[in-house]
């Protein structure tokens, strides 16, 4: 981009081309690229002048310059030229974006003149247009001045004017605008709730959800706030709505959220129902008792482990054969959370057709990896098994260490999955013999030789020496 600006835009501007036809004047990136690109040659090749300075050098007196060439002067490598260009730029309101950039200039006099001009020129309309650029420049050293002035001006803006910034693609701009709107109480609670649900940025979601709940004044207002929050995709927004149910006197509506897919939402729901005297553990047990219920939500299963005790492990074990993969996965996770994971009972789930169940099973079996039969694991790492089973088996073999881990990793060099081949190579590279392993094992030497392409000669000799294998 900088090279394009230096070789293209800067040269065209030097020839008198209009700014509007050379840059996208609404894009902050184009202005920043112009500013950087004009000086790029001076930064990296100080012995050369930019091409446009050869073909159309700036005059010593800038008072007669048009808008296009004055834009180049505002970006010039010489601070004295930039300073004079700032003074002259008052004639061309279209150059105000470059004045914004000069407000963070490293040269003090340039910076002070630009700041004075920005303070005088900025109004609500121009502030709305320049907000994305000002906030971009605000991330630089000495860039906070522009942000402060922007805030002062936009505090005078109406709801309708600020709404332009609510839809800006830059999340920093949206955060800034919503903070101003919340500070000025320009948005009703229902509008804040809709913003919390509709925006993709988590900071905006938290800002608006918190402000919506804080602004509630009467029970009727909850009707426009709680439904959007409770249906939000983001767990933090949903949890805010669940917690607010207590203040709204609707604690009973929190019960369905006890089985939410999010741990945060489940925890908030448990808090709310406890205030009503309901024991969430009893609620979870009632639902998990029906082990064959196809509608059993997975959140209820892990919720039982989150607030139950080890005596509840029996209910979770019955759910290991549930027809729903999500329930089986949460049952395994629950047993692990309760420290009741039995390796022999969980072993069959390593062959589960659902990848999520296998991932949870591997996590539960990792502490017992050395106790699992090596041949049984190696069989599941073969290429005739599904990828998620091969990955799970390899994780357990790798955790075992020793010659078994090395044998499994080398065996995966020809695996059809590129990621698994890469993990296997990394496993071999970090492999070391176990302290209590048998030294002088000929198989180790053979496996290391097959992995020769992964090591330098020195490292390979060192690995073999560690294992007691002759080179």
């Amino acid at each position: 981009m900088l090279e394009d600006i230096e070789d293209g835009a800067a040269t065209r501007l030097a020839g008198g081309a209009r700014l509007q036809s050379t840059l996208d004047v609404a894009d902050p990136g184009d202005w920043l690229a112009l500013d950087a690109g004009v000086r790029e040659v001076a930064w990296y090749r100080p012995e050369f002048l930019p091409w446009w300075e050869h073909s159309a050098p700036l005059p010593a007196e800038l008072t007669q310059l048009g808008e296009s060439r004055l834009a180049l002067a505002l970006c010039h490598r010489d601070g004295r030229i930039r300073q004079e260009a700032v003074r002259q730029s008052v004639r061309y309101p279209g150059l105000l974006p470059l004045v914004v950039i000069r407000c963070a200039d490293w040269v003090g006099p340039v910076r002070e003149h630009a700041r004075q001009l920005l303070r005088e020129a900025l109004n609500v309309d121009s502030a709305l247009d320049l907000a994305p650029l000002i906030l971009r420049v605000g991330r630089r050293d000495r860039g906070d001045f522009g942000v402060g002035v922007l805030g002062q001006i936009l505090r005078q803006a109406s709801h309708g004017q600020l709404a332009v910034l609510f839809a800006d693609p830059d999340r920093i701009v949206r955060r800034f605008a919503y903070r101003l709107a919340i500070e000025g109480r320009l948005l009703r609670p229902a509008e804040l709730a809709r913003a919390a649900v509709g925006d993709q940025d988590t900071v905006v979601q938290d800002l608006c959800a918190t402000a919506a709940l804080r602004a509630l004044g009467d029970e009727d207002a909850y009707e426009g706030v709680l439904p959007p929050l409770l249906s939000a995709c983001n767990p933090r927004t949903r949890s805010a709505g669940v917690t607010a149910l207590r203040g709204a006197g609707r604690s009973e509506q929190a019960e369905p959220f006890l089985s939410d897919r999010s741990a945060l939402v489940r925890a908030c729901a448990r808090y709310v129902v406890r205030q009503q005297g309901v024991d969430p553990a009893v609620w979870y047990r009632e639902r998990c008792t029906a082990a064959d219920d196809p509608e059993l939500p997975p959140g209820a299963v892990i919720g039982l482990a989150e607030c139950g005790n080890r005596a509840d492990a029996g209910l979770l074990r019955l759910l290991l054969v549930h027809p729903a993969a999500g329930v089986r996965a949460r049952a395994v996770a629950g047993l692990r959370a309760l420290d009741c994971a039995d390796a022999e009972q969980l072993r069959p789930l390593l062959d589960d057709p659902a990848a999520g169940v296998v991932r949870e099973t591997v996590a539960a079996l990792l502490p017992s990896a050395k106790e699992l039969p090596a041949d049984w694991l190696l069989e599941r790492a073969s290429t005739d098994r599904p990828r998620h089973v091969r990955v799970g088996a390899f994780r357990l073999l790798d955790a075992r260490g020793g010659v078994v881990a090395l044998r499994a990793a080398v065996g995966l060099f020809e695996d059809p999955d590129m990621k698994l081949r890469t993990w296997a190579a990394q496993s071999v590279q970090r492999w070391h013999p176990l302290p209590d392993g048998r030294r002088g094992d000929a198989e180790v030497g053979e496996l290391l030789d097959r992995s020769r392409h992964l090591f330098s000669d020195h490292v390979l000799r060192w690995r073999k020496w560690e294992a007691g294998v002759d080179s």
Side-chain angles (χ1 to χ4, degrees), residues 159-209:
H159 174 196
Q161 289 173 314
L162 272 183
V164 175
L165 302 184
F166 296 157
D168 195 277
D170 188 339
R171 61 185 179 181
I172 304 298
V173 175
R174 299 200 304 278
R175 292 174 186 177
F176 186 83
Y178 275 115
R179 285 192 177 103
L180 289 178
I182 291 168
E183 177 187 322
R185 299 184 178 182
L186 299 179
L187 296 173
R188 297 189 302 275
E191 292 175 308
L192 288 167
R194 289 194 295 271
V197 174
D199 202 281
Q200 299 299 309
D201 180 54
T202 56
V203 174
V204 171
Q205 292 166 3
D206 286 349
L207 276 172
C208 293

Short mmCIF file of all heavy atoms in Angstrom, two decimals, residues 159-209:
data_model
loop_
_atom_site.label_atom_id
_atom_site.label_comp_id
_atom_site.label_asym_id
_atom_site.label_seq_id
_atom_site.Cartn_x
_atom_site.Cartn_y
_atom_site.Cartn_z
N HIS A 159 -29.15 11.60 19.25
CA HIS A 159 -29.20 10.15 19.05
C HIS A 159 -29.10 9.81 17.57
O HIS A 159 -28.35 8.92 17.16
CB HIS A 159 -30.52 9.62 19.64
CG HIS A 159 -30.77 8.17 19.37
ND1 HIS A 159 -32.00 7.59 19.51
CD2 HIS A 159 -29.94 7.17 18.96
CE1 HIS A 159 -31.93 6.32 19.21
NE2 HIS A 159 -30.68 6.03 18.86
N GLY A 160 -29.85 10.52 16.74
CA GLY A 160 -29.83 10.23 15.31
C GLY A 160 -28.47 10.44 14.67
O GLY A 160 -28.07 9.70 13.77
N GLN A 161 -27.76 11.46 15.13
CA GLN A 161 -26.43 11.72 14.57
C GLN A 161 -25.44 10.63 14.99
O GLN A 161 -24.66 10.13 14.18
CB GLN A 161 -25.94 13.10 15.03
CG GLN A 161 -26.69 14.25 14.39
CD GLN A 161 -26.31 15.60 15.00
OE1 GLN A 161 -26.24 15.75 16.22
NE2 GLN A 161 -26.09 16.59 14.14
N LEU A 162 -25.47 10.24 16.26
CA LEU A 162 -24.55 9.19 16.72
C LEU A 162 -24.84 7.84 16.10
O LEU A 162 -23.96 6.98 16.00
CB LEU A 162 -24.62 9.06 18.25
CG LEU A 162 -23.72 9.95 19.09
CD1 LEU A 162 -23.88 9.63 20.56
CD2 LEU A 162 -22.25 9.80 18.68
N ALA A 163 -26.09 7.64 15.68
CA ALA A 163 -26.47 6.34 15.12
C ALA A 163 -25.62 5.97 13.91
O ALA A 163 -25.45 4.80 13.59
CB ALA A 163 -27.95 6.35 14.75
N VAL A 164 -25.09 6.98 13.22
CA VAL A 164 -24.20 6.70 12.07
C VAL A 164 -22.99 5.88 12.52
O VAL A 164 -22.52 4.98 11.82
CB VAL A 164 -23.74 8.03 11.43
CG1 VAL A 164 -22.73 7.77 10.32
CG2 VAL A 164 -24.94 8.79 10.90
N LEU A 165 -22.47 6.21 13.72
CA LEU A 165 -21.28 5.53 14.21
C LEU A 165 -21.60 4.15 14.79
O LEU A 165 -20.72 3.30 14.89
CB LEU A 165 -20.59 6.38 15.28
CG LEU A 165 -20.16 7.78 14.84
CD1 LEU A 165 -19.41 8.47 15.98
CD2 LEU A 165 -19.29 7.71 13.60
N PHE A 166 -22.86 3.90 15.17
CA PHE A 166 -23.23 2.60 15.72
C PHE A 166 -23.05 1.49 14.67
O PHE A 166 -22.85 0.33 15.02
CB PHE A 166 -24.68 2.59 16.20
CG PHE A 166 -24.96 3.52 17.34
CD1 PHE A 166 -26.25 3.97 17.58
CD2 PHE A 166 -23.95 3.95 18.18
CE1 PHE A 166 -26.53 4.83 18.63
CE2 PHE A 166 -24.21 4.82 19.24
CZ PHE A 166 -25.50 5.26 19.46
N ALA A 167 -23.13 1.87 13.39
CA ALA A 167 -23.01 0.88 12.32
C ALA A 167 -21.64 0.87 11.67
O ALA A 167 -21.45 0.19 10.65
CB ALA A 167 -24.08 1.16 11.26
N ASP A 168 -20.69 1.61 12.23
CA ASP A 168 -19.35 1.66 11.62
C ASP A 168 -18.68 0.29 11.69
O ASP A 168 -18.81 -0.42 12.69
CB ASP A 168 -18.49 2.69 12.37
CG ASP A 168 -17.25 3.06 11.58
OD1 ASP A 168 -16.25 2.31 11.65
OD2 ASP A 168 -17.29 4.08 10.88
N PRO A 169 -18.00 -0.12 10.62
CA PRO A 169 -17.35 -1.44 10.65
C PRO A 169 -16.21 -1.54 11.66
O PRO A 169 -15.85 -2.66 12.06
CB PRO A 169 -16.82 -1.61 9.21
CG PRO A 169 -16.77 -0.22 8.64
CD PRO A 169 -17.87 0.54 9.30
N ASP A 170 -15.64 -0.42 12.09
CA ASP A 170 -14.55 -0.44 13.07
C ASP A 170 -15.15 -0.54 14.48
O ASP A 170 -15.87 0.34 14.93
CB ASP A 170 -13.72 0.85 12.94
CG ASP A 170 -12.45 0.79 13.79
OD1 ASP A 170 -12.40 0.00 14.76
OD2 ASP A 170 -11.52 1.56 13.51
N ARG A 171 -14.84 -1.63 15.16
CA ARG A 171 -15.43 -1.83 16.49
C ARG A 171 -14.99 -0.76 17.49
O ARG A 171 -15.71 -0.45 18.44
CB ARG A 171 -15.06 -3.22 17.02
CG ARG A 171 -13.57 -3.45 17.20
CD ARG A 171 -13.28 -4.86 17.61
NE ARG A 171 -11.84 -5.07 17.74
CZ ARG A 171 -11.29 -6.22 18.08
NH1 ARG A 171 -12.05 -7.27 18.32
NH2 ARG A 171 -9.99 -6.35 18.19
N ILE A 172 -13.79 -0.18 17.30
CA ILE A 172 -13.33 0.88 18.19
C ILE A 172 -14.26 2.09 18.08
O ILE A 172 -14.57 2.74 19.09
CB ILE A 172 -11.88 1.29 17.86
CG1 ILE A 172 -10.95 0.07 17.92
CG2 ILE A 172 -11.40 2.38 18.80
CD1 ILE A 172 -10.87 -0.56 19.30
N VAL A 173 -14.71 2.38 16.87
CA VAL A 173 -15.63 3.50 16.67
C VAL A 173 -16.96 3.19 17.35
O VAL A 173 -17.56 4.06 18.02
CB VAL A 173 -15.84 3.76 15.17
CG1 VAL A 173 -16.89 4.84 14.95
CG2 VAL A 173 -14.51 4.16 14.52
N ARG A 174 -17.46 1.97 17.18
CA ARG A 174 -18.75 1.62 17.79
C ARG A 174 -18.66 1.68 19.32
O ARG A 174 -19.59 2.17 19.98
CB ARG A 174 -19.18 0.22 17.35
CG ARG A 174 -19.38 0.08 15.85
CD ARG A 174 -20.23 -1.10 15.48
NE ARG A 174 -19.75 -2.36 16.02
CZ ARG A 174 -18.79 -3.11 15.48
NH1 ARG A 174 -18.20 -2.70 14.36
NH2 ARG A 174 -18.41 -4.26 16.02
N ARG A 175 -17.57 1.19 19.88
CA ARG A 175 -17.42 1.27 21.34
C ARG A 175 -17.46 2.71 21.82
O ARG A 175 -18.12 3.04 22.80
CB ARG A 175 -16.08 0.63 21.75
CG ARG A 175 -16.01 -0.87 21.54
CD ARG A 175 -14.60 -1.37 21.84
NE ARG A 175 -14.45 -2.78 21.52
CZ ARG A 175 -13.30 -3.45 21.63
NH1 ARG A 175 -12.21 -2.81 22.05
NH2 ARG A 175 -13.24 -4.72 21.32
N PHE A 176 -16.72 3.57 21.10
CA PHE A 176 -16.67 4.99 21.48
C PHE A 176 -18.06 5.61 21.40
O PHE A 176 -18.48 6.34 22.32
CB PHE A 176 -15.70 5.71 20.54
CG PHE A 176 -15.44 7.15 20.89
CD1 PHE A 176 -14.50 7.48 21.84
CD2 PHE A 176 -16.14 8.16 20.25
CE1 PHE A 176 -14.26 8.82 22.17
CE2 PHE A 176 -15.90 9.49 20.56
CZ PHE A 176 -14.95 9.82 21.52
N ALA A 177 -18.78 5.34 20.33
CA ALA A 177 -20.10 5.93 20.15
C ALA A 177 -21.09 5.44 21.21
O ALA A 177 -21.87 6.23 21.75
CB ALA A 177 -20.62 5.61 18.74
N TYR A 178 -21.06 4.17 21.49
CA TYR A 178 -22.00 3.64 22.50
C TYR A 178 -21.66 4.18 23.89
O TYR A 178 -22.58 4.44 24.69
CB TYR A 178 -21.99 2.12 22.49
CG TYR A 178 -22.91 1.53 21.44
CD1 TYR A 178 -22.39 0.79 20.37
CD2 TYR A 178 -24.28 1.70 21.53
CE1 TYR A 178 -23.22 0.26 19.40
CE2 TYR A 178 -25.12 1.17 20.56
CZ TYR A 178 -24.59 0.45 19.50
OH TYR A 178 -25.43 -0.08 18.55
N ARG A 179 -20.39 4.34 24.19
CA ARG A 179 -20.03 4.92 25.49
C ARG A 179 -20.59 6.34 25.62
O ARG A 179 -21.12 6.73 26.67
CB ARG A 179 -18.51 4.92 25.67
CG ARG A 179 -17.94 3.55 25.98
CD ARG A 179 -16.48 3.65 26.42
NE ARG A 179 -15.96 2.35 26.77
CZ ARG A 179 -15.15 1.62 26.00
NH1 ARG A 179 -14.76 2.10 24.83
NH2 ARG A 179 -14.72 0.44 26.40
N LEU A 180 -20.47 7.13 24.54
CA LEU A 180 -21.02 8.48 24.57
C LEU A 180 -22.54 8.46 24.71
O LEU A 180 -23.12 9.25 25.46
CB LEU A 180 -20.63 9.24 23.30
CG LEU A 180 -19.17 9.65 23.15
CD1 LEU A 180 -18.96 10.34 21.82
CD2 LEU A 180 -18.74 10.56 24.29
N ALA A 181 -23.19 7.55 23.98
CA ALA A 181 -24.64 7.48 24.03
C ALA A 181 -25.13 7.05 25.42
O ALA A 181 -26.13 7.58 25.93
CB ALA A 181 -25.16 6.50 22.98
N ILE A 182 -24.41 6.14 26.04
CA ILE A 182 -24.78 5.68 27.39
C ILE A 182 -24.55 6.80 28.40
O ILE A 182 -25.37 7.06 29.27
CB ILE A 182 -23.98 4.41 27.75
CG1 ILE A 182 -24.46 3.25 26.88
CG2 ILE A 182 -24.13 4.08 29.23
CD1 ILE A 182 -23.55 2.03 26.95
N GLU A 183 -23.41 7.47 28.25
CA GLU A 183 -23.11 8.58 29.15
C GLU A 183 -24.15 9.69 29.05
O GLU A 183 -24.56 10.29 30.05
CB GLU A 183 -21.72 9.13 28.82
CG GLU A 183 -21.30 10.33 29.63
CD GLU A 183 -19.98 10.92 29.11
OE1 GLU A 183 -19.10 10.14 28.71
OE2 GLU A 183 -19.86 12.15 29.11
N GLY A 184 -24.61 9.96 27.83
CA GLY A 184 -25.60 11.01 27.61
C GLY A 184 -27.04 10.54 27.74
O GLY A 184 -27.96 11.31 27.51
N ARG A 185 -27.23 9.24 28.05
CA ARG A 185 -28.57 8.66 28.20
C ARG A 185 -29.42 8.90 26.95
O ARG A 185 -30.59 9.28 27.03
CB ARG A 185 -29.26 9.21 29.44
CG ARG A 185 -28.52 8.90 30.73
CD ARG A 185 -29.27 9.37 31.94
NE ARG A 185 -28.54 9.02 33.17
CZ ARG A 185 -28.98 9.28 34.40
NH1 ARG A 185 -30.14 9.90 34.57
NH2 ARG A 185 -28.26 8.92 35.45
N LEU A 186 -28.81 8.66 25.81
CA LEU A 186 -29.49 8.89 24.55
C LEU A 186 -30.28 7.68 24.08
O LEU A 186 -31.11 7.79 23.16
CB LEU A 186 -28.48 9.27 23.46
CG LEU A 186 -27.67 10.55 23.70
CD1 LEU A 186 -26.69 10.77 22.56
CD2 LEU A 186 -28.59 11.76 23.85
N LEU A 187 -30.02 6.51 24.66
CA LEU A 187 -30.67 5.28 24.23
C LEU A 187 -31.58 4.75 25.33
O LEU A 187 -31.19 4.72 26.50
CB LEU A 187 -29.63 4.22 23.86
CG LEU A 187 -28.72 4.55 22.68
CD1 LEU A 187 -27.63 3.50 22.54
CD2 LEU A 187 -29.53 4.64 21.40
N ARG A 188 -32.76 4.30 24.93
CA ARG A 188 -33.68 3.69 25.89
C ARG A 188 -33.19 2.28 26.23
O ARG A 188 -32.43 1.67 25.46
CB ARG A 188 -35.09 3.63 25.31
CG ARG A 188 -35.70 4.99 25.03
CD ARG A 188 -37.17 4.87 24.66
NE ARG A 188 -37.36 4.01 23.50
CZ ARG A 188 -37.27 4.43 22.24
NH1 ARG A 188 -36.99 5.70 21.99
NH2 ARG A 188 -37.47 3.59 21.24
N PRO A 189 -33.62 1.73 27.38
CA PRO A 189 -33.17 0.38 27.75
C PRO A 189 -33.43 -0.67 26.67
O PRO A 189 -32.57 -1.52 26.42
CB PRO A 189 -34.00 0.09 29.01
CG PRO A 189 -34.24 1.44 29.61
CD PRO A 189 -34.41 2.37 28.45
N ALA A 190 -34.58 -0.59 26.01
CA ALA A 190 -34.88 -1.58 24.96
C ALA A 190 -33.91 -1.44 23.79
O ALA A 190 -33.49 -2.44 23.19
CB ALA A 190 -36.32 -1.41 24.48
N GLU A 191 -33.53 -0.21 23.44
CA GLU A 191 -32.58 0.00 22.35
C GLU A 191 -31.20 -0.55 22.74
O GLU A 191 -30.50 -1.15 21.91
CB GLU A 191 -32.48 1.49 22.04
CG GLU A 191 -33.73 2.08 21.42
CD GLU A 191 -33.62 3.58 21.23
OE1 GLU A 191 -33.29 4.28 22.20
OE2 GLU A 191 -33.86 4.06 20.11
N LEU A 192 -30.81 -0.34 23.98
CA LEU A 192 -29.53 -0.88 24.45
C LEU A 192 -29.54 -2.40 24.42
O LEU A 192 -28.54 -3.03 24.06
CB LEU A 192 -29.26 -0.37 25.87
CG LEU A 192 -28.89 1.10 26.00
CD1 LEU A 192 -28.97 1.55 27.45
CD2 LEU A 192 -27.50 1.37 25.44
N ALA A 193 -30.67 -2.99 24.80
CA ALA A 193 -30.76 -4.45 24.78
C ALA A 193 -30.63 -4.98 23.37
O ALA A 193 -29.94 -5.97 23.12
CB ALA A 193 -32.07 -4.90 25.41
N ARG A 194 -31.29 -4.32 22.41
CA ARG A 194 -31.18 -4.75 21.02
C ARG A 194 -29.75 -4.59 20.50
O ARG A 194 -29.25 -5.42 19.73
CB ARG A 194 -32.16 -3.98 20.14
CG ARG A 194 -33.61 -4.38 20.36
CD ARG A 194 -34.50 -3.85 19.25
NE ARG A 194 -34.56 -2.40 19.22
CZ ARG A 194 -35.44 -1.67 19.91
NH1 ARG A 194 -36.32 -2.26 20.68
NH2 ARG A 194 -35.43 -0.35 19.81
N ALA A 195 -29.08 -3.52 20.92
CA ALA A 195 -27.68 -3.32 20.51
C ALA A 195 -26.80 -4.41 21.10
O ALA A 195 -25.88 -4.91 20.42
CB ALA A 195 -27.20 -1.95 20.95
N ALA A 196 -27.06 -4.78 22.35
CA ALA A 196 -26.26 -5.83 22.98
C ALA A 196 -26.40 -7.16 22.24
O ALA A 196 -25.46 -7.94 22.15
CB ALA A 196 -26.68 -6.00 24.44
N VAL A 197 -27.58 -7.40 21.71
CA VAL A 197 -27.83 -8.66 21.00
C VAL A 197 -27.31 -8.59 19.57
O VAL A 197 -26.80 -9.57 19.03
CB VAL A 197 -29.34 -8.98 21.00
CG1 VAL A 197 -29.64 -10.19 20.14
CG2 VAL A 197 -29.82 -9.22 22.43
N GLY A 198 -27.43 -7.43 18.94
CA GLY A 198 -27.13 -7.32 17.51
C GLY A 198 -25.67 -7.09 17.17
O GLY A 198 -25.22 -7.47 16.09
N ASP A 199 -24.90 -6.47 18.06
CA ASP A 199 -23.50 -6.17 17.74
C ASP A 199 -22.63 -7.40 17.92
O ASP A 199 -22.86 -8.21 18.82
CB ASP A 199 -22.98 -5.03 18.63
CG ASP A 199 -21.78 -4.33 18.02
OD1 ASP A 199 -20.67 -4.89 18.12
OD2 ASP A 199 -21.96 -3.26 17.44
N GLN A 200 -21.62 -7.53 17.07
CA GLN A 200 -20.74 -8.69 17.12
C GLN A 200 -19.56 -8.52 18.08
O GLN A 200 -18.87 -9.50 18.38
CB GLN A 200 -20.17 -8.99 15.72
CG GLN A 200 -21.24 -9.32 14.69
CD GLN A 200 -22.04 -10.54 15.08
OE1 GLN A 200 -21.49 -11.60 15.39
NE2 GLN A 200 -23.37 -10.41 15.08
N ASP A 201 -19.35 -7.31 18.58
CA ASP A 201 -18.21 -7.05 19.45
C ASP A 201 -18.60 -7.31 20.91
O ASP A 201 -19.59 -6.76 21.40
CB ASP A 201 -17.74 -5.60 19.28
CG ASP A 201 -16.56 -5.27 20.16
OD1 ASP A 201 -15.55 -5.99 20.09
OD2 ASP A 201 -16.64 -4.30 20.93
N THR A 202 -17.81 -8.11 21.61
CA THR A 202 -18.16 -8.47 22.99
C THR A 202 -18.12 -7.27 23.93
O THR A 202 -18.88 -7.22 24.90
CB THR A 202 -17.23 -9.57 23.52
OG1 THR A 202 -15.86 -9.13 23.41
CG2 THR A 202 -17.40 -10.85 22.73
N VAL A 203 -17.24 -6.30 23.66
CA VAL A 203 -17.19 -5.11 24.51
C VAL A 203 -18.48 -4.31 24.38
O VAL A 203 -19.05 -3.86 25.39
CB VAL A 203 -15.96 -4.25 24.16
CG1 VAL A 203 -15.99 -2.94 24.94
CG2 VAL A 203 -14.67 -5.00 24.45
N VAL A 204 -18.95 -4.14 23.16
CA VAL A 204 -20.21 -3.43 22.95
C VAL A 204 -21.36 -4.19 23.59
O VAL A 204 -22.25 -3.61 24.22
CB VAL A 204 -20.46 -3.22 21.44
CG1 VAL A 204 -21.87 -2.68 21.20
CG2 VAL A 204 -19.44 -2.26 20.86
N GLN A 205 -21.34 -5.51 23.46
CA GLN A 205 -22.39 -6.32 24.08
C GLN A 205 -22.44 -6.11 25.58
O GLN A 205 -23.51 -5.90 26.17
CB GLN A 205 -22.15 -7.79 23.75
CG GLN A 205 -22.33 -8.15 22.29
CD GLN A 205 -21.77 -9.52 21.95
OE1 GLN A 205 -21.28 -10.23 22.82
NE2 GLN A 205 -21.85 -9.88 20.68
N ASP A 206 -21.27 -6.16 26.23
CA ASP A 206 -21.23 -5.97 27.69
C ASP A 206 -21.66 -4.55 28.08
O ASP A 206 -22.42 -4.36 29.04
CB ASP A 206 -19.82 -6.24 28.22
CG ASP A 206 -19.49 -7.72 28.24
OD1 ASP A 206 -20.41 -8.52 28.06
OD2 ASP A 206 -18.31 -8.06 28.44
N LEU A 207 -21.15 -3.55 27.34
CA LEU A 207 -21.50 -2.16 27.63
C LEU A 207 -23.02 -1.97 27.59
O LEU A 207 -23.63 -1.40 28.51
CB LEU A 207 -20.85 -1.23 26.61
CG LEU A 207 -19.42 -0.78 26.82
CD1 LEU A 207 -18.94 -0.03 25.58
CD2 LEU A 207 -19.31 0.12 28.04
N CYS A 208 -23.62 -2.43 26.50
CA CYS A 208 -25.03 -2.16 26.28
C CYS A 208 -25.92 -2.99 27.20
O CYS A 208 -26.94 -2.49 27.70
CB CYS A 208 -25.38 -2.41 24.82
SG CYS A 208 -24.61 -1.23 23.69
N ALA A 209 -25.55 -4.24 27.42
CA ALA A 209 -26.36 -5.08 28.32
C ALA A 209 -26.34 -4.52 29.73
O ALA A 209 -27.38 -4.41 30.40
CB ALA A 209 -25.85 -6.51 28.29
#
